[in-house]
């Protein structure tokens, strides 16, 4: 009985070790790079949202929540890189392991939830213009963001269950019924929180593009901006979320069929694509710029050199004039207004 227990423990420890140390050391340096770039970028975005843009006055509560979600991710990167440097796919400390996985799941769920909400808002503003937009109503209620975070908790709590082996146990030989059900629920959450929002995103994008084709020339500039919003979210999904989802499905297939050699390769591919998914903390600021030109102008005037400010603001002002129905004489001041939310 004791020897069997030792064998189970050894198998678990071996599974927690990296299949290829060189691969994981390279991934650790990639995460360090993401942290070095992501920390100042997200700090600067947070500064603009709070002190310059005042998000609570400009109906940008959802954008601010994406910033908070990105901070959860950036905070996890140094610890994750440390474990990879030392040949472990996760922390040997159970509390750290569960906390890290919880934070990563929460970040992923929050990012996806608020990004999709923004896309749906653009969809209603363009395709169903004139009808009551429930998303626009929600944007005026900060408490809704708290509700969204609370709704994410039941989907994230299973990552904290103590029975997870190496935070990644589905398909292992030693399983109890509770263990198997909990792991299955986590896998269902992992896939549905990517697949269902992506279907919604594709639908919104197709409808907005079709609407753009039917509009007259005078109305197209505003619609093009709406297309840029949803397309930027598509880019984030395509780079950060879809590849690791496909790799996860392949990994589970190999594991359940007990193809150990193939699983060792699939684990490295999956972990590599998961590291790639952490790029959303660098790509999300692009969404902020497309969603709200007022935020972009505040960021440019705060952090860009003077000579570059003029070029960027003048180019943007020219595009906005195409979207206006009347000509204004106070162009310099108009640039600073968040016209995207109109």
């Amino acid at each position: 009985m004791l020897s069997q227990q030792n064998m189970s423990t050894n198998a678990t420890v071996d599974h927690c070790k990296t299949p290829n140390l060189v691969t994981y050391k390279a991934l650790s340096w990639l995460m360090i790079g993401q942290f070095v770039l992501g920390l100042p970028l997200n700090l600067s975005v947070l500064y603009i949202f709070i002190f310059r843009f005042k998000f609570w006055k400009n109906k940008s509560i959802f954008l601010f929540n994406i910033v908070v979600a990105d901070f959860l991710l950036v905070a996890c990167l140094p610890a994750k890189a440390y474990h990879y440097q030392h040949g472990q796919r996760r922390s040997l400390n159970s509390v750290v392991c569960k906390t890290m996985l919880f934070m990563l799941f929460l970040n992923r769920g929050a990012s996806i939830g608020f990004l999709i909400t923004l896309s749906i808002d653009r969809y209603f503003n363009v395709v169903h213009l004139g009808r009551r937009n429930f998303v626009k109503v929600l944007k005026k209620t900060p408490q809704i963001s708290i509700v969204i975070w609370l709704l994410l908790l039941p989907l994230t709590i299973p990552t904290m269950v103590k029975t997870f082996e190496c935070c990644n146990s589905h398909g292992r030989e030693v399983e109890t019924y509770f263990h198997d059900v909990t792991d299955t629920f986590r896998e269902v959450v992992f896939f549905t929180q990517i697949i269902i929002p992506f279907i919604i995103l594709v639908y919104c994008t197709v409808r907005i593009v079709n609407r753009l084709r039917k509009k007259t020339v005078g109305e197209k500039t505003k619609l093009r901006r709406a297309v840029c919003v949803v397309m930027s979210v598509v880019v984030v999904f395509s780079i950060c979320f879809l590849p690791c989802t496909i790799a996860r499905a392949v990994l589970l297939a190999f594991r359940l069929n007990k193809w150990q050699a193939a699983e060792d390769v699939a684990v490295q591919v999956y972990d590599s694509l998961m590291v790639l998914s952490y790029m959303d903390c660098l790509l999300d600021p692009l969404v902020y710029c497309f969603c709200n030109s007022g935020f972009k102008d505040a960021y440019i005037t705060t952090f860009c050199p003077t000579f570059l400010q003029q070029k960027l603001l003048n180019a943007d002002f020219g595009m906005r004039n195409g979207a206006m129905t009347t000509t204004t004489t106070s162009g310099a001041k108009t640039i600073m207004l968040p016209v995207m939310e109109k």
Side-chain angles (χ1 to χ4, degrees), residues 196-264:
I196 293 177
F198 186 71
I199 294 173
I200 296 174
L201 181 60
V202 170
Y203 175 80
C204 293
T205 304
V206 171
R207 292 296 303 275
I208 291 174
V209 171
N210 287 338
R211 189 75 170 178
L212 174 62
R213 292 175 178 174
K214 297 177 182 178
K215 285 292 182 178
T216 60
V217 176
E219 299 170 306
K220 282 190 173 181
T221 302
K222 182 178 179 180
L223 290 176
R224 286 197 186 99
R225 195 182 287 273
V227 171
C228 286
V229 171
V230 293
M231 289 305 297
S232 64
V233 179
V234 170
V235 169
V236 173
F237 261 76
S238 300
I239 294 177
C240 299
F241 302 132
L242 284 180
C244 63
T245 304
I246 297 171
R248 180 70 177 178
V250 174
L251 171 60
L252 289 178
F254 290 160
R255 180 176 298 161
L256 292 172
N257 285 283
K258 296 179 172 59
W259 298 339
Q260 189 59 49
E263 181 185 338
D264 289 341

Side-chain angles (χ1 to χ4, degrees), residues 243-282:
C244 63
T245 304
I246 297 171
R248 180 70 177 178
V250 174
L251 171 60
L252 289 178
F254 290 160
R255 180 176 298 161
L256 292 172
N257 285 283
K258 296 179 172 59
W259 298 339
Q260 189 59 49
E263 181 185 338
D264 289 341
V265 176
V267 163
Q268 295 178 64
V269 174
Y270 168 70
D271 285 342
S272 299
L273 292 176
M274 280 297 293
V275 172
L276 180 65
S277 74
Y278 303 155
M279 291 291 292
D280 71 326
C281 67
L282 302 177

Side-chain angles (χ1 to χ4, degrees), residues 18-29 84 268:
T18 56
N20 188 318
L21 185 57
V22 175
T23 300
Y24 284 83
K25 282 196 172 183
L27 292 177
S28 70
W29 285 110
Y84 278 13
Q268 295 178 64

Side-chain angles (χ1 to χ4, degrees), residues 59 61-62 121-122 135-142 341:
K59 304 175 185 177
I61 301 293
F62 290 159
D121 178 47
R122 290 295 177 269
V135 180
K136 184 172 290 187
V137 175
L138 295 180
K139 288 195 298 184
K140 299 177 182 179
T141 309
E341 295 299 323

